[in-house]
Amino acid sequence: MKISTIKREWWKEGVVYQIYPRSFQDSNGDGIGDLRGIIQRLDYIASLGIDIVWLNPVYQSPNHDNGYDISDYQNIMDDFGSMEDFDEMLEGFHKRGIKVVMDLVVNHSSSEHKWFKESRSSRDNPYRDYYHWWPAENGTPPERWSFFDEEGSAWAFDEKTNAYYLHYFDKTQPDLNWENPKVREEIFDMMHFWFKKGIDGFRMDVITFISKHDGYPTFEGVHGDKMIDVYASGPRLHQYLHEMNREVLQHYDIMTVAEGPGTNLSNIHDLVDEDRQELNMNYHFEHVELGLDARKIVNSDHRNLVKFKKIMSDWATAFDQKGWGTQWHTNHDFPRQVSWFGDDTAEHREQSSKLLSTFLLTMRGTPYYYMGDEIGMTNAKFDSIDDYDDLMTINWYNLTMAEGGDAQKLLESHKLSGRDNARTPFQWDTSENAGFSSAKPWLKVTDNFKEINAAEQENRPDSPLNYFRELTQLRKDNLALIYGAYALLLAEDENIYAYTRTLDDEVILVLLNYSSSSHVAEIPNVLHNGDVLINNFDTLEKVDAGFSLLPWQAVVLKIK
Ligand code: GLC
Ligand code: CA
């Protein structure tokens, strides 16, 4: 790879830090994180050396799905504050040189949105066609699977007009009808509103689902979550995104990233290649779904490093010539990185969490880093269904009970895989409620906050927090870590993940021991001599075949 041939972009070079506002910092003692809480923590966020913040939805919402059910796209949720707070927060980030990316949730709205209230009120209401309706006199609609529905169906019967409406997610999240040009126009206007305020981009929620198949055909033999691929292959997806680009995106210096269920290596270029003029980046799910069956039941592929490396390598090299990728381990929908990919026992927690951060920040693709991972926060591992807030776990638990299935097994799996694991309050210090709130938090604080918290790590030079700060600086100082070609070594090794990043004449070697015992990384001789750029241990043992790595050791070397 040659730097002279690469189109440099701020969104390729930046590190994204994701903030789940509900759980970051409560400023007014109601147990719910809010925008003024974020304002209080601006200096902390800036101290991490990150460049871009992605905020989960902060719009008006009845909160059935924590803000992913929006009832007013141009106002701030009461729990989170006001538009003045938002403006002050945005300014605070910009002053510190940090860009702000918002969530765009336009596959569906809330059932409380005025459009839906109108739409369901009568068949001839002007808003009727803002959503997808199936008249009941046509019989039962063709099968559609829902992610969250308590009965599993994406069609909900609405008595008032004797018709079914479509909801890929919860009943309270009816799908918007993108086939209707008026809907697109409303959405594009709303996007202009936020860009004119000065936001720097959008993360687009399940954007691959916006185009529906005409007439809602039956898809023989496609059931359950297999329907995701069908949902992502709507006939006009690319037409709508191109139109969005032309009408809105191209007029601003902003970034866009698709949340892309159903994206894979054969369809991804249509979405992100520059000449397509659609979106900049996408995130796929292949690596986080490795080891997961339906309803997030964990299977034996969890922690299969050889398969993991193959997935990561295929995606990292897919954008060698065109397009650009992303790297991430967790977000508000997936468990904590240290609990899922690392070892969260006291003995290995810090080193494994540092290793995982090293991976994300030395891979090719923009890193999306989830709040709290910088201090190595772990899964909550709730024992009881009563501790859960997330409608996904709760509805699947109820559905499993209703089917006479093994609900206990689901609970056990969700300790590892459930969404609430990453949604617990940020662990700031050892005070009550971990310094998150003076009141009882909306979701239980994980009980290890006395050992794992930002205050304790702040002044400890070898803490995960300070290590993360070194990593963000390292990435800034080495363009090879951003643009360099990626090449996998030791593809079949079950413990070591090793790769090089090469830009012009510079070669950087990354060695990661994904295991709780020592292993030798057998590396070609030409890569044996280098300067250590970062190491999560004080030592590095050189052996004839290469390097002997301690449990969860992570080392980055510049080859001489
Ligand atoms: C996305 C969000 C998730 C939400 C769903 C429906 O997957 O990340 O939190 O529940 O879309 O909007
Ligand atoms: Ca609050």
Side-chain angles (χ1 to χ4, degrees):
M1 205 87 44
K2 292 209 171 349
I3 191 71
S4 56
T5 62
I6 288 169
K7 182 152 195 287
R8 293 183 62 173
E9 303 276 8
W10 60 262
W11 45 265
K12 295 180 181 172
E13 301 188 8
V15 173
V16 181
Y17 183 71
Q18 180 191 351
I19 296 180
Y20 195 66
R22 212 174 177 72
S23 302
F24 193 58
Q25 177 70 63
D26 174 22
S27 71
N28 63 345
D30 63 358
I32 301 173
D34 45 53
L35 300 183
R36 300 220 68 82
I38 297 175
I39 293 171
Q40 286 171 16
R41 297 292 183 179
L42 283 170
D43 288 334
Y44 170 83
I45 299 164
S47 80
L48 299 175
I50 57 89
D51 309 279
I52 303 159
V53 158
W54 154 30
L55 273 191
N56 288 94
V58 296
Y59 316 95
Q60 276 284 357
S61 163
N63 273 312
H64 293 294
D65 187 21
N66 286 358
Y68 283 94
D69 47 327
I70 296 170
S71 53
D72 181 348
Y73 289 96
Q74 279 164 234
N75 271 307
I76 300 296
M77 187 191 300
D78 294 337
D79 286 343
F80 288 170
S82 64
M83 196 58 92
E84 287 69 47
D85 297 331
F86 179 87
D87 293 338
E88 189 180 327
M89 181 199 69
L90 184 64
E91 203 191 319
F93 276 123
H94 283 168
K95 260 200 217 138
R96 290 165 179 79
I98 296 171
K99 305 210 183 252
V100 178
V101 168
M102 304 267 287
D103 225 301
L104 182 79
V105 190
V106 288
N107 172 68
H108 45 267
S109 74
S110 160
S111 51
E112 303 289 306
H113 196 290
K114 70 168 192 296
W115 298 336
F116 190 71
K117 288 186 182 162
E118 292 281 342
S119 183
R120 80 194 312 181
S121 67
S122 78
R123 286 194 182 189
D124 53 17
N125 185 282
Y127 288 91
R128 185 67 171 181
D129 287 343
Y130 273 46
Y131 295 86
H132 295 274
W133 290 98
W134 177 274
E137 62 272 20
N138 293 357
T140 314
E143 180 180 341
R144 289 294 182 273
W145 169 79
S146 158
F147 281 75
F148 299 155
D149 190 76
E150 276 169 304
E151 280 144 29
S153 167
W155 290 106
F157 180 66
D158 206 40
E159 216 171 82
K160 180 97 202 278
T161 58
N162 191 38
Y164 297 85
Y165 65 86
L166 190 64
H167 64 91
Y168 283 176
F169 295 89
D170 190 57
K171 285 201 264 306
T172 60
Q173 295 166 294
D175 284 44
L176 283 159
N177 179 12
W178 276 69
E179 293 12 279
N180 180 349
K182 273 195 270 168
V183 168
R184 305 204 294 276
E185 213 180 290
E186 300 252 23
I187 291 169
F188 297 162
D189 284 351
M190 175 272 282
M191 294 172 73
H192 279 296
F193 167 85
W194 287 101
F195 284 134
K196 287 194 179 126
K197 258 189 181 301
I199 71 158
D200 304 288
F202 278 120
R203 171 269 186 192
M204 304 191 178
D205 192 64
V206 295
I207 197 72
T208 44
F209 290 174
I210 55 176
S211 163
K212 278 33 179 200
H213 294 82
D214 296 325
Y216 315 108
T218 302
F219 295 101
E220 293 298 343
V222 186
H223 307 287
D225 60 6
K226 297 279 170 299
M227 275 199 179
I228 291 176
D229 291 341
V230 166
Y231 293 174
S233 62
R236 282 174 293 272
L237 170 65
H238 296 291
Q239 179 192 319
Y240 296 153
L241 291 177
H242 184 69
E243 184 180 319
M244 178 196 279
N245 188 301
R246 203 182 55 227
E247 297 295 322
V248 189
L249 307 175
Q250 65 162 347
H251 301 286
Y252 306 94
D253 175 24
I254 48 102
M255 62 161 259
T256 52
V257 56
E259 186 201 26
T263 51
N264 54 49
L265 288 164
S266 48
N267 65 19
I268 190 56
H269 283 285
D270 287 348
L271 195 71
V272 301
D273 284 0
E274 296 78 359
D275 50 11
R276 299 275 308 173
Q277 298 181 310
E278 294 186 18
L279 304 179
N280 299 137
M281 291 172 272
N282 165 70
Y283 59 87
H284 70 90
F285 295 93
E286 263 192 77
H287 61 315
V288 290
E289 281 172 352
L290 178 70
L292 282 185
D293 285 332
R295 294 185 198 165
K296 295 197 187 236
I297 302 286
V298 181
N299 69 33
S300 59
D301 271 344
H302 175 219
R303 292 168 186 274
N304 183 324
L305 188 69
V306 173
K307 287 190 183 173
F308 178 78
K309 289 191 289 192
K310 168 104 176 67
I311 294 171
M312 301 321 273
S313 303
D314 288 349
W315 279 92
T317 46
F319 307 110
D320 273 354
Q321 308 299 326
K322 277 175 136 190
W324 189 251
T326 63
Q327 297 295 340
W328 66 285
H329 280 148
T330 189
N331 61 34
H332 62 293
D333 295 330
F334 286 86
R336 283 286 172 187
Q337 65 170 6
V338 72
S339 298
W340 183 255
F341 294 108
D343 178 340
D344 66 7
T345 61
E347 195 184 349
H348 298 298
R349 189 188 67 239
E350 293 211 337
Q351 295 306 61
S352 67
S353 114
K354 289 178 190 171
L355 173 141
L356 295 166
S357 302
T358 310
F359 175 72
L360 285 181
L361 274 81
T362 59
M363 275 298 275
R364 193 161 198 276
T366 299
Y368 285 70
Y369 197 85
Y370 188 63
M371 68 174 210
D373 279 351
E374 73 273 25
I375 57 169
M377 278 177 66
T378 66
N379 272 8
K381 303 184 188 171
F382 293 141
D383 284 315
S384 159
I385 188 70
D386 301 332
D387 290 330
Y388 281 92
D389 173 86
D390 181 18
L391 85 179
M392 181 188 259
T393 298
I394 295 170
N395 290 3
W396 286 348
Y397 180 84
N398 292 337
L399 188 56
T400 307
M401 291 284 267
E403 292 163 353
D406 193 345
Q408 202 48 43
K409 181 174 170 198
L410 185 123
L411 266 189
E412 274 311 306
S413 268
H414 278 229
K415 280 189 195 175
L416 244 185
S417 64
R419 303 200 300 178
D420 274 346
N421 284 306
R423 297 179 179 185
T424 59
F426 194 100
Q427 294 167 201
W428 292 105
D429 56 42
T430 56
S431 67
E432 209 183 351
N433 304 318
F436 163 72
S437 172
S438 56
K440 184 171 176 245
W442 71 278
L443 187 67
K444 254 177 128 173
V445 174
T446 302
D447 51 20
N448 56 22
F449 72 93
K450 295 237 154 98
E451 297 96 73
I452 307 174
N453 61 73
E456 186 279 323
Q457 294 190 19
E458 185 61 49
N459 298 313
R460 179 159 60 90
D462 71 346
S463 67
L465 175 58
N466 284 314
Y467 184 86
F468 179 69
R469 289 171 171 146
E470 282 176 49
L471 276 173
T472 54
Q473 191 58 46
L474 184 72
R475 195 171 169 92
K476 284 194 176 63
D477 293 344
N478 290 277
L479 273 186
L481 290 178
I482 297 167
Y483 294 110
Y486 164 92
L488 176 67
L489 305 164
L490 310 175
E492 299 304 321
D493 192 301
E494 289 170 11
N495 300 294
I496 307 283
Y497 195 159
Y499 49 94
T500 52
R501 302 292 315 276
T502 308
L503 187 66
D504 296 322
D505 300 332
E506 201 171 298
V507 180
I508 292 181
L509 172 66
V510 181
L511 299 172
L512 308 167
N513 178 8
Y514 273 74
S515 93
S516 301
S517 47
S518 298
H519 290 281
V520 171
E522 295 183 18
I523 298 296
N525 281 334
V526 290
L527 299 173
H528 282 203
N529 289 312
D531 294 326
V532 174
L533 297 179
I534 196 164
N535 180 355
N536 64 348
F537 283 89
D538 293 334
T539 56
L540 174 61
E541 193 188 339
K542 179 81 198 56
V543 293
D544 284 348
F547 299 92
S548 176
L549 300 178
L550 294 163
W552 298 102
Q553 184 161 17
V555 190
V556 180
L557 297 138
K558 187 181 252 175
I559 299 305
K560 288 199 258 213

